[in-house]
Amino acid sequence: MGINGFEWILIVIVALLLFGPKKLPELGKAVGKSFREFKNGMNGVLDDEEKKVTKSESEANKIQ
């Protein structure tokens, strides 16, 4: 259940009507930057969790 071609065209037309052709590229850049920052933040959280797990495993191995 994805978005087909007609729905993409409809979304683009509505966006053009709401924001205008001059603001649309700026809006696209802002959305892209937001997604990129979110992805980088999530990668940072996952890396931190992985480090915690690795540290816990190494400490558990030292105790044994």
Side-chain angles (χ1 to χ4, degrees):
M1 187 173 159
I3 297 178
N4 62 27
F6 176 73
E7 291 169 342
W8 278 112
I9 292 171
L10 186 62
I11 290 170
V12 169
I13 290 172
V14 169
L16 281 171
L17 291 174
L18 288 176
F19 301 107
K22 292 183 181 180
K23 283 283 189 182
L24 207 54
E26 294 173 20
L27 184 64
K29 287 179 187 177
V31 170
K33 185 176 179 181
S34 299
F35 279 134
R36 194 174 319 113
E37 289 177 9
F38 178 77
K39 180 181 172 185
N40 291 339
M42 287 302 297
N43 285 340
V45 168
L46 293 175
D47 289 343
D48 290 344
E49 289 298 318
E50 186 176 315
K51 287 177 185 177
K52 287 179 186 177
V53 169
T54 305
K55 184 178 178 182
S56 300
E57 289 174 351
S58 65
E59 288 175 359
N61 289 335
K62 287 180 183 178
I63 294 173
Q64 294 175 356

